[in-house]
C-alpha cells in the first residue's frame, strides 16, 4: 500500500473467503469479486483512498484502507 494496479491479499490456510469488495469513502460499492480473491485489479480506479472489504464464509468481515496512486 499504495498501489497502482493490483492489491494482493494473503489468507491463512484455514480462512474461507467468500468475496472481496472495494468501496469509495462515501460508501459506494465500486468493485466486487467472488473469484481470484487473492488479487484485486484496481488499475481502472482513480487515484485516491478506498476501503477494501473481505467477506468470510462464517459471516465475519474485515476492512482495510487502500491507497491507489
Amino acid at each position: 500500500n499504495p498501489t497502482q494496479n493490483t492489491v494482493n491479499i494473503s489468507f491463512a490456510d484455514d480462512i474461507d473467503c467468500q468475496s472481496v469488495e472495494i468501496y469509495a469513502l462515501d460508501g459506494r460499492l465500486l468493485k466486487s469479486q467472488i473469484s481470484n480473491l487473492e488479487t484485486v485489479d484496481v488499475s481502472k480506479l482513480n487515484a485516491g483512498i478506498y476501503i477494501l472489504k473481505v467477506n468470510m464464509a462464517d459471516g465475519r468481515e474485515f476492512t482495510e484502507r487502500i491507497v491507489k496512486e
Side-chain angles (χ1 to χ4, degrees):
N1 213 358
T3 186
Q4 291 182 350
N5 296 312
T6 60
V7 174
N8 296 311
I9 305 169
S10 297
F11 299 103
D13 291 336
D14 61 340
I15 299 294
D16 185 13
C17 179
Q18 293 291 96
S19 66
V20 175
E21 301 167 337
I22 296 184
Y23 290 87
L25 290 180
D26 64 5
R28 289 178 293 125
L29 177 64
L30 301 175
K31 182 176 183 85
S32 178
Q33 67 185 55
I34 56 173
S35 62
N36 190 20
L37 299 173
E38 294 179 349
T39 303
V40 181
D41 180 9
V42 295
S43 62
K44 294 185 173 130
L45 296 177
N46 293 327
I49 299 172
Y50 298 92
I51 302 297
L52 174 77
K53 180 178 169 185
V54 177
N55 300 299
M56 311 309 262
D58 63 5
R60 291 181 296 161
E61 299 174 344
F62 297 96
T63 58
E64 184 71 33
R65 219 181 253 191
I66 59 171
V67 178
K68 166 69 167 58
E69 291 184 327

